[in-house]
Amino acid sequence: MLAKRIIPCLDIKDGMTVKGTNFVNLREAGDPVSLGKRYSSEGADELVYLDITASHEGRKTFTNLVRRISEEINIPFTVGGGIHELSDVDRLLNAGADKVSINSSALRNPGLIDEIASHFGSQVCVVAIDAKLQSDGIWQCYLNGGRLASDRTLFDWAHEACERGAGEILFTSMDHDGVKEGFANDALCELSTHLSIPVIASGGAGKKEHFRDAFIKGKSDAALAASVFHFGEIPIPELKSYLKREGVAVRI
């Protein structure tokens, strides 16, 4: 059985780690390099860094940050934000990133997934999907950090991304983000059951049981969280020991 992965996520704004609730009300959480080093030493399997403002100047700043991270951290990390073309991917991989995450740019230009997969390999391409459950029971996908509704739905879009060569799907439930009441396990289970690539759960971690449920009920391959790690609510070694006792395969 493949080990399930624990992935701290660091949202970056103006060079600092920030965290909000339902994609708003941001507060600072610390230096991204120092936090990354701490998570690496505590046993995190991977890290995700997202440049959540990603202006042109921000991209330059972010590239320098990625370089610093790669010099200090010895676990794989994914970067996202402001990636619109192959040259952006090339720049971030050359700075030391292991994978890139694309979201709005993939919805606007699905062919970007094919291009990244064919030039750099599917393993480099993580397609992030921010979705919100509508009153009719349909999960609608959103762009621009959850600010703009698209005409795509979660399961159809995830299937297309998979067909185009995505290596992983990172699904964030906008309804669950920062609320700390558990992941969207039903949707995760449907994704994990019907896709041939790994699914990363995001949005909703508040206690250790939520991670267990994302793996057992949601059948996800990895679980991503932010504030519970940033603010010391759930230490990673404690979380992994708990998951192992609950029968979830993790790397200790």
Side-chain angles (χ1 to χ4, degrees):
M1 180 190 260
L2 284 176
K4 304 293 189 179
R5 290 170 287 150
I6 300 297
I7 306 177
C9 179
L10 298 91
D11 291 341
I12 309 300
K13 183 176 187 289
D14 302 326
M16 289 298 290
T17 310
V18 296
K19 184 62 189 116
T21 302
N22 300 128
F23 284 43
V24 293
N25 301 324
L26 301 177
R27 58 175 170 152
E28 281 199 3
D31 173 67
V33 179
S34 299
L35 277 174
K37 285 176 73 174
R38 191 184 96 200
Y39 296 144
S40 177
S41 68
E42 288 177 353
D45 298 292
E46 297 181 19
L47 299 171
V48 170
Y49 286 89
L50 300 176
D51 182 353
I52 61 170
T53 47
S55 65
H56 179 65
E57 281 304 308
R59 282 210 298 272
K60 282 203 231 169
T61 306
F62 192 58
T63 306
N64 292 334
L65 175 61
V66 169
R67 198 167 284 115
R68 284 174 50 216
I69 293 164
S70 71
E71 290 168 356
E72 298 281 350
I73 291 167
N74 58 7
I75 59 174
F77 69 98
T78 300
V79 295
I83 297 168
H84 302 291
E85 55 194 16
L86 287 180
S87 62
D88 296 323
V89 181
D90 194 48
R91 169 171 50 81
L92 292 166
L93 294 179
N94 281 331
D98 298 279
K99 309 176 198 176
V100 296
S101 171
I102 55 174
N103 189 334
S104 302
S105 57
L107 280 164
R108 291 194 173 96
N109 172 24
L112 181 61
I113 302 170
D114 306 72
E115 290 180 30
I116 295 172
S118 62
H119 279 78
F120 302 105
S122 289
Q123 78 284 352
V124 161
C125 185
V126 178
V127 172
I129 304 176
D130 299 331
K132 186 184 288 187
L133 187 61
Q134 307 301 306
S135 57
D136 58 4
I138 301 294
W139 284 92
Q140 187 171 18
C141 301
Y142 279 70
L143 306 97
N144 293 19
R147 297 179 188 89
L148 182 66
S150 79
D151 60 356
R152 303 304 302 263
T153 58
L154 171 62
F155 302 113
D156 286 347
W157 174 230
H159 278 281
E160 181 177 333
C162 178
E163 292 293 313
R164 287 180 176 275
E168 294 181 277
I169 297 294
L170 167 54
F171 163 52
T172 300
S173 165
M174 293 173 60
D175 305 289
H176 294 70
D177 176 68
V179 180
K180 301 184 180 178
E181 293 181 355
F183 295 91
N185 292 317
D186 290 344
L188 283 165
C189 183
E190 185 161 344
L191 287 170
S192 300
T193 301
H194 293 103
L195 295 179
S196 59
I197 58 176
V199 174
I200 303 169
S202 170
K207 52 188 181 179
K208 296 189 286 289
E209 290 82 358
H210 295 154
F211 289 89
R212 176 199 64 196
D213 292 346
F215 294 132
I216 294 175
K217 295 180 182 175
K219 301 188 188 318
S220 56
D221 299 273
L224 175 146
S227 58
V228 292
F229 297 140
H230 299 340
F231 303 116
E233 295 162 40
I234 302 178
I236 292 172
E238 189 180 298
L239 172 60
K240 285 195 161 187
S241 295
Y242 164 81
L243 290 170
K244 190 170 186 182
R245 290 196 303 274
E246 291 291 312
V248 177
V250 290
R251 296 183 192 89
I252 300 290

